[in-house]
Amino acid sequence: MTKFIFVTGGVVSGLGKGITAASLGRLLKMRGLKVAAQKLDPYINVDPGTMSPYQHGEVYVTEDGAETDLDLGHYERFIDENLNRFSNLTTGKVYSNVIAKERRGEYLGSTVQIIPHVTDEIKRFIYNVGRETSADVVITEVGGTIGDIEGQPFIEAIRQVGNEVGRENSLYIHVCLLPYLKASGEHKTKPTQHSVKELQGMGITPDIIVLRTDEIIEDKSIFGKIAHFCNVKEDCVIENNTLPVLYEAPLMLERSGMSDIVCRELGLDCPPPDLSEWEDLIDRIKSRSTHVTIGLVGKYTQLHDAYLSVVEALHHAGYYCNSAVYIEWIDSETLNEANYTDILGSVDGVIVPGGFGGRGIEGMILTARYCRENNIPYLGICLGMQIAVIEAARDLLGYTDANSSEFDDSSAHKVIDFMPGQSEDVAKGGTLRLGSYPCKIKAGSTMERCYGSDLINERHRHRYEFNNDYREQLTDAGLVISGQSPDGLLVETVEYTSHPFFVGVQHHPEFKSRPNRPHPLFTGLVKASLKA
C-alpha cells in the first residue's frame, strides 16, 4: 500500500518545509523507493499563474502544463522525478471543483459543507497523486503555518487520511523554529512546544519534529525535553541547521538518521540509501576553483525567489564547470543609454529571464544590444528571446518602433505578436502555451552544439510568439532561427551562430536543470562566460 507522509510547519513561514520534504524524498528514492511529492497551498487563487512574482516567487511549470508553487521546483531538483497536475492544490482549485460539482448536481441535493465535501476533494487529490504515479511513498507538504485560518480544511483532510489508511501507512512531520537567544546564549523550546500543542489540538500528533535553527544545538538535552513535552520518541527530534550549500540538506538529515526513522515508523523494509552520487556532487561544489559573474537583468530583481529556478540552474552549470557563479542582480528599469555600458561592463555573461508587461523592457533591449555588439555571452529565456528579436528589428532592420504587441499595440512593426487565430480577449489564468512541446533544431547551430540533438522537448509558459511576417527580413539581417516547432509554424529559438554565445529560447530550460545534471543551455552560457 502507498505510504503517506505529511509535512507541516509551525511558528513562522519560510522555515524550509519544502527543502525538508524534498531532501526526504531524495533519501527515500536512494533507498530504492518510488517517491511522489505534492504541495497543498491554502491561498484562494486557483493557481499562482496570475500572481505577481513579488507575491509568491516564481511560477513553476510541470511537464503537463500545470502552473504551480515554486516548492515543486525543489521537489524536482532534489528527487529528480517529473511532477504533474496532481502535485499542487490550492484552496481556489478545491472550491472551484466543489462548486462545479454542486452545479452539476453531483451532491444529489446535499448541503455542501467543509466537512465532508471540501475535505473529500482534498483527500481525492492526495490519493490521486499516488495512483497516477504508482508511488511507494507520497510526500505532501501543507503550505503556511499551523493555526492559519485558511489552512484548517487541509489539516483536517490530512488527519482523515491518517485515520483511513492507518497510522502504519501515514506519518506526520512537523517543522518548527528553534530560536537561539544570544543574550542568554541558549535555544528556546517554547515556540516548538506551543506549535505542536496547536497541531495536537487539531487532531494530529506529529511523529517526527524537525528543529529549524541557525545555530548548532550544543545542549543535547533539548532533544529529550522536546520529545517529552511533545510526546514523540527522542530520536524522532531532528536538527535542521542553516547550511552554506542548499544541496547538503539530505546529507545533514541523514546524519540524524532521518530515512532510517521514517522507514522504521512506516514499516518499510529497504536497503540503506546510496548517497555516493550526492556526496560526489557536494565534493564538487566545495572544491570549485574558478568563478564567473553573470548579470541577471530582470524586472523582479528585488525578490530573488522570482527567478529561483534560473538561479539554481546557473549554480548547477557552475558545479559542472568547476566554477562558482556570482550573480549580479540588475534591475532593467535602471538601465538607460547613459549608464548601460558601465553597468553591464562588470559582468562576464548575461541572462534575461522571463516576465510579463512593459515595465523595464527598454533596459532589456539595451542589454541585448550590448551583448550582441560586444560579444558578451547572452541567454534570453522566453521574454529574453522576444527581447533579442525586438533588438534585432530595431538595430539591424532600422525599425525604431519595433516592439511586441504586449507592450505597444500601436507599433507599426510588431515583431512579437499573437498568432493567427489567437485573441487578446481571453481570460488570463491557464490560457498560456503551457507545458512540454517539441522543437526541431537547426544543424550546425549553437543550439545543436549545446543539446547534441536535432529534436528536443522543453516546457513553455507564454502567450505571444515570433511574428512570421518578419522571418525573412530578420534572417537576412543575420538573426538565425535555430529552433522551430516540428511543423515549422512557430519560431522557438533564435541565435547569432557566429557569436561566442547568443541564444534566445521561447521555452524555460531552467525547469529541467538538476544539480547533478545541469541544463545544456546554462552550461553553454557559463562555459562561454568563463572564456569571455
Side-chain angles (χ1 to χ4, degrees), residues 22-77:
S23 298
L24 176 58
R26 184 73 192 191
L27 294 172
L28 295 178
K29 181 180 179 179
M30 292 299 96
R31 297 185 78 124
L33 297 168
K34 183 167 179 54
V35 179
Q38 62 181 181
K39 174 79 179 290
L40 308 180
D41 274 308
Y43 52 73
I44 299 177
N45 303 67
V46 171
D47 59 46
T50 58
M51 295 168 67
S52 164
Y54 287 130
Q55 292 286 313
H56 220 254
E58 75 171 7
V59 175
Y60 193 81
V61 178
T62 60
E63 284 284 298
D64 60 356
E67 295 178 288
T68 72
D69 181 78
L70 58 80
D71 273 319
L72 270 69
H74 291 312
Y75 302 161
E76 286 205 357
R77 285 187 286 271

Side-chain angles (χ1 to χ4, degrees), residues 359-493:
R359 182 173 59 83
I361 295 302
E362 294 303 319
M364 296 179 191
I365 294 171
L366 290 172
T367 299
R369 183 210 296 174
Y370 177 84
C371 293
R372 179 178 58 80
E373 292 179 342
N374 294 279
N375 286 330
I376 302 299
Y378 174 97
L379 176 58
I381 295 175
C382 195
L383 173 61
M385 176 261 201
Q386 298 175 359
I387 291 296
V389 174
I390 295 170
E391 189 277 328
R394 288 187 183 183
D395 296 323
L396 298 181
L397 296 180
Y399 298 147
T400 57
D401 73 329
N403 219 320
S404 165
S405 59
E406 179 184 7
F407 314 136
D408 182 8
D409 196 45
S410 65
S411 168
H413 299 95
K414 293 191 278 286
V415 292
I416 304 295
D417 202 358
F418 289 114
M419 291 296 291
Q422 282 185 312
S423 171
E424 186 177 11
D425 188 25
V426 294
K428 294 295 186 285
T431 58
L432 303 169
R433 182 148 72 103
L434 292 164
S436 183
Y437 287 87
C439 173
K440 187 169 178 55
I441 301 301
K442 181 181 177 67
S445 63
T446 303
M447 283 287 293
E448 187 189 47
R449 290 197 298 273
C450 286
Y451 280 91
S453 175
D454 63 355
L455 185 67
I456 62 172
N457 284 272
E458 292 282 6
R459 302 179 195 180
H460 290 248
R461 183 176 182 253
H462 66 97
R463 177 173 286 111
Y464 296 86
E465 306 280 359
F466 182 108
N467 188 340
N468 286 325
D469 292 343
Y470 292 88
R471 276 200 192 201
E472 185 175 350
Q473 294 179 66
L474 284 166
T475 54
D476 287 347
L479 185 68
V480 175
I481 295 174
S482 54
Q484 302 180 61
S485 57
D487 61 8
L489 180 63
L490 300 175
V491 172
E492 302 284 27
T493 77

Side-chain angles (χ1 to χ4, degrees), residues 179-333:
Y180 180 80
L181 299 187
K182 291 185 178 180
S184 58
E186 60 182 342
H187 287 93
K188 290 297 185 181
T189 65
K190 274 294 188 287
T192 295
Q193 293 179 48
H194 282 293
S195 182
V196 171
K197 181 180 178 182
E198 181 86 20
L199 184 59
Q200 290 171 335
M202 302 177 79
I204 295 174
T205 296
D207 301 286
I208 296 174
I209 296 174
V210 176
L211 302 175
R212 185 71 173 83
T213 178
D214 289 330
E215 305 284 342
I216 293 174
I217 301 174
E218 302 289 353
D219 181 4
K220 302 305 179 184
S221 68
I222 283 176
F223 297 101
K225 180 179 181 181
I226 290 175
H228 176 72
F229 282 105
C230 297
N231 196 30
V232 299
K233 299 170 186 175
E234 186 165 342
D235 68 348
C236 290
V237 182
I238 292 175
E239 184 175 2
N240 183 351
N241 295 316
T242 300
L243 296 167
V245 178
L246 178 69
Y247 297 106
E248 284 188 86
L251 302 181
M252 175 191 64
L253 293 174
E254 189 59 12
R255 285 194 291 270
S256 297
M258 181 75 153
S259 69
D260 282 339
I261 294 166
V262 168
C263 290
R264 180 192 72 200
E265 296 299 308
L266 287 173
L268 290 166
D269 184 14
C270 48
D274 178 6
L275 295 173
S276 55
E277 181 187 13
W278 208 258
E279 290 167 344
D280 289 344
L281 168 67
I282 301 304
D283 288 342
R284 287 202 310 275
I285 293 173
K286 292 185 174 180
S287 61
R288 289 169 291 171
S289 59
T290 62
H291 69 271
V292 66
T293 300
I294 303 294
L296 193 155
V297 181
K299 58 173 68 179
Y300 313 116
T301 53
Q302 290 86 346
L303 180 68
H304 294 181
D305 272 0
Y307 302 113
L308 180 59
S309 290
V310 171
V311 170
E312 290 305 312
L314 284 170
H315 290 314
H316 300 166
Y319 305 157
Y320 179 82
C321 296
N322 187 35
S323 178
V325 176
Y326 301 141
I327 297 175
E328 186 77 29
W329 294 89
I330 301 172
D331 184 345
S332 60
E333 281 195 285

